[in-house]
Amino acid sequence: MDDKTILKRISALVDEEHQLRAAAQANEEGTDDESRDRLRDLSASLDQCWDLLRRRRAARSTHGDPDAQGGRPAPEVARYLQ
């Protein structure tokens, strides 16, 4: 996966997240369980995408191979401090 593809994926995930949050605000009662689960999944996927993009950029800046970077599991990425 190249940087452009990762950025497109991030954009699509953010768009979906915004749609879910807007629907929840319009409902005024919050989100249902399914929407909350999806928002949690979106957050984890976004964290993974950003992590991969940062590692690819770091590899490139140190003359490494960005294509050698693979995605990390969501639980591992979730433990990182922001």
Side-chain angles (χ1 to χ4, degrees):
M1 187 180 310
D2 64 357
D3 291 3
K4 193 174 187 178
T5 303
I6 296 168
L7 287 168
K8 283 182 183 180
R9 177 77 175 134
I10 288 170
S11 180
L13 291 169
V14 168
D15 287 346
E16 184 179 354
E17 181 183 38
H18 287 174
Q19 290 172 350
L20 285 172
R21 291 190 189 281
Q25 285 180 344
N27 190 6
E28 293 184 14
E29 295 178 12
T31 57
D32 58 18
D33 289 340
E34 185 177 317
S35 294
R36 275 193 293 276
D37 291 344
R38 183 60 186 148
L39 282 169
R40 195 172 17 261
D41 292 345
L42 286 169
S43 178
S45 294
L46 280 165
D47 288 346
Q48 288 176 293
C49 287
W50 281 116
D51 174 66
L52 178 57
L53 187 61
R54 281 190 293 268
R55 288 186 302 107
R56 286 178 56 81
R57 288 175 174 172
R60 193 175 294 111
S61 72
T62 59
H63 306 290
D65 181 9
D67 293 328
Q69 304 302 312
R72 293 182 182 171
E76 182 178 340
V77 174
R79 291 191 309 254
Y80 297 153
L81 296 176
Q82 298 297 321

